[in-house]
Amino acid sequence: MGRWEPGADSRLREAAMELFLDRGFEQTMVADIAERAGVTARTFFRHFTDKREVLFDGSPDLLERSLAALESAPATTSVLDAVALALDAVAGLIGGDREYSKQRQAVIMANPELQERELIKLAHMSGALAAGLRRRGAEASEAELAAEAGLAVYRVAYAQWVDAAEDGDLRDVIRESMARLRSLTAGATPDQPSTAPDSDTVGTGVLQGVERPS
Amino acid sequence: MGRWEPGADSRLREAAMELFLDRGFEQTMVADIAERAGVTARTFFRHFTDKREVLFDGSPDLLERSLAALESAPATTSVLDAVALALDAVAGLIGGDREYSKQRQAVIMANPELQERELIKLAHMSGALAAGLRRRGAEASEAELAAEAGLAVYRVAYAQWVDAAEDGDLRDVIRESMARLRSLTAGATPDQPSTAPDSDTVGTGVLQGVERPS
DNA sequence: ACCGTCATGTCATCACGTGACATCAGGGGG
DNA sequence: CCCCCTGATGTCACGTGATGACATGACGGT
């Protein structure tokens, strides 16, 4: 075989990114992406489960690497510090080219569906980190909380990094963000906040408030 | 007019919930929900933008109430404590009937699409809380971080509450979770974690790692 | 030359979601 | 009393996303 032909995956990914940047996500049809990549729409769905997934299929890599970082941490490392190491590994991977991150972020921010997908990827990451922490002997709810808090730090840091005027190291931003969290939680805890249990409304889902049907 | 006829909204919501519990979300078609509610499919989409949204349309209420709680807090309250007050308000609303919350959670947990929707609702809430904090004079990134951390606490607490064997007050679980976060972040911070900047891989989106196309 | 596998194309089919238009009920105001 | 306005709904048509079933063609090994 002669030269290296980029796989259909890569061509589809690039084609999609170009079209998304050009006309936007909704205005781009999978047939367009496929055509530009030189395949049919049916083939697109053989490589990506979703039209959205074409923008997110790198996440398994990241997840794996962050877990590796987590597990290579010395056993004496605290839960939150272990999470910090994992985040550092993630930042090492995606902190490389900020320009591309900006482009991608622009596409994602312009479309709610994509934001949903992004959030669930981060949630998966949180779940995986929590599992990793439990494997290290952390108590369950402590592990979940540390993972969730870590991702909170990551989200804020990433948003700040990608929006910043001048370039910087994502890992530094993450560390600053983590420090800020520590200072935020360091304040004195007042007595129990007491809200009157006024519930004429029924909450059902996490964010569901439905009028009780008399 | 004679008796009170429940609006199409309510009928659709109830019909949807019943069918979702019975056969699952994907197996339920919009036409089924509409039929059971006595309307056509087209009408369904006049009341809910999405098939998913029928499970989440209570969130604006919650958001509003939590913001109210936030703003009614004394100006001297710390950012994180203000967030705690907002979460307390939310818990007051949805903590009323745990059984229903369990059902809804079961439906949501069985379907990734629904989890995505849930996550984005929570993200909106986080954004709104951050904005509220900024209105109180908090610095931007501090506000975002506090809101994100608060939601992290909420997610963990809610999951724990809804899964618990015996009944309990959601607000208590949230307070415990918040306390746990404080203890987690209280540990000593070690020196900078240093990971070699080994990036032969290009990160592009928040969770995107794409092999660099040579 | 034969065969199995893998990637892809082709065709058919569903379900989601939306725009355009028609219909019907109720409520005023002439 | 009639007209008209408005809001909610039904009807129809259509584009798009996504999937299953089957055919085809390239490649590599035997």
Side-chain angles (χ1 to χ4, degrees):
Chain A
M1 12 164 171
R3 289 184 77 67
W4 172 236
E5 280 232 29
D9 300 14
S10 321
R11 274 176 299 146
L12 283 167
R13 243 182 277 118
E14 290 169 29
M17 188 63 190
E18 290 163 7
L19 291 174
F20 291 165
L21 283 173
D22 188 38
R23 0 173 162 161
F25 178 78
E26 305 204 33
Q27 284 62 46
T28 305
M29 286 159 289
V30 309
D32 303 336
I33 305 175
E35 188 186 14
R36 176 177 277 234
V39 295
T40 50
R42 189 62 183 88
T43 295
F44 176 92
F45 289 107
R46 289 205 179 89
H47 289 269
F48 304 96
T49 66
D50 248 14
K51 181 174 146 192
R52 289 175 269 171
E53 196 64 12
V54 69
L55 282 172
F56 295 99
D57 72 320
S59 61
D61 265 28
L62 279 192
L63 210 155
E64 193 184 345
R65 297 239 203 167
S66 64
L67 275 182
L70 213 179
E71 305 193 351
S72 71
T76 65
T77 311
S78 79
V79 257
L80 200 57
D81 289 333
V83 170
L85 284 172
L87 295 183
D88 202 65
V90 170
L93 288 180
I94 75 175
D97 54 354
R98 185 155 150 279
E99 273 319 305
Y100 201 55
S101 290
K102 284 179 96 148
Q103 288 188 343
R104 184 177 231 86
Q105 192 71 357
V107 173
I108 291 179
M109 281 309 164
N111 196 284
E113 291 184 58
L114 294 174
Q115 297 171 38
E116 294 191 356
R117 180 56 54 88
E118 169 129 321
L119 289 172
I120 213 174
K121 295 291 183 183
L122 288 166
H124 282 151
M125 179 126 170
S126 168
L129 288 183
L133 290 175
R134 262 181 268 118
R135 247 175 275 126
R136 288 169 55 90
E139 186 248 342
S141 59
E142 189 181 68
E144 281 175 37
L145 192 50
E148 283 280 349
L151 273 139
V153 164
Y154 179 83
R155 273 193 285 268
V156 172
Y158 180 81
Q160 186 177 331
W161 174 72
V162 85
D163 279 353
E166 76 280 5
D167 277 21
D169 191 336
L170 173 54
R171 295 183 295 169
D172 290 337
V173 187
I174 289 181
R175 278 190 280 267
E176 288 166 21
S177 201
M178 183 67 85
R180 207 184 329 259
L181 174 64
R182 293 194 126 107
S183 80
L184 269 179
T185 53
T189 310
D191 295 321
Q192 320 253 31
S194 62
T195 298
D198 91 286
S199 59
D200 52 347
T201 297
V202 171
T204 53
V206 164
L207 275 180
Q208 183 68 0
V210 178
E211 335 88 34
R212 194 189 291 277
S214 96
Chain B
M1 4 160 183
R3 289 183 77 68
W4 174 236
E5 281 234 28
D9 301 18
S10 320
R11 273 176 298 147
L12 282 169
R13 243 182 277 117
E14 290 169 28
M17 189 63 189
E18 289 164 6
L19 291 174
F20 290 165
L21 283 173
D22 189 37
R23 0 174 163 161
F25 179 77
E26 305 203 33
Q27 284 62 44
T28 305
M29 283 157 289
V30 178
D32 303 336
I33 305 175
E35 188 187 13
R36 176 177 278 234
V39 295
T40 52
R42 187 65 183 86
T43 294
F44 176 92
F45 289 108
R46 289 204 180 91
H47 289 268
F48 305 96
T49 66
D50 249 15
K51 182 175 147 191
R52 288 175 269 171
E53 197 63 11
V54 69
L55 281 172
F56 294 98
D57 71 320
S59 62
D61 263 27
L62 279 193
L63 210 155
E64 193 184 344
R65 298 239 203 168
S66 64
L67 275 182
L70 214 178
E71 305 194 351
S72 72
T76 66
T77 312
S78 80
V79 257
L80 200 56
D81 289 332
V83 170
L85 285 172
L87 295 184
D88 202 65
V90 171
L93 287 182
I94 74 176
D97 53 355
R98 185 156 152 276
E99 273 319 305
Y100 201 54
S101 290
K102 284 180 97 150
Q103 288 187 342
R104 185 177 230 87
Q105 192 71 356
V107 173
I108 291 179
M109 281 309 166
N111 195 284
E113 291 184 56
L114 294 174
Q115 298 170 36
E116 294 192 355
R117 179 56 54 88
E118 169 130 321
L119 289 171
I120 211 172
K121 294 291 184 183
L122 288 166
H124 281 151
M125 179 126 169
S126 168
L129 288 183
L133 290 175
R134 260 180 269 119
R135 247 174 276 126
R136 288 168 56 89
E139 186 248 342
S141 57
E142 188 180 69
E144 282 175 36
L145 192 51
E148 284 280 348
L151 269 274
V153 165
Y154 178 83
R155 273 192 286 268
V156 173
Y158 180 80
Q160 186 177 331
W161 174 72
V162 85
D163 278 354
E166 76 281 6
D167 277 22
D169 191 336
L170 173 55
R171 295 183 295 169
D172 290 337
V173 186
I174 290 181
R175 278 190 281 267
E176 288 164 21
S177 200
M178 183 69 85
R180 209 185 327 261
L181 174 65
R182 292 194 127 108
S183 80
L184 268 179
T185 54
T189 310
D191 295 322
Q192 318 253 29
S194 61
T195 299
D198 91 288
S199 58
D200 52 348
T201 296
V202 171
T204 53
V206 164
L207 274 181
Q208 183 69 359
V210 178
E211 336 87 37
R212 194 189 292 277
S214 97

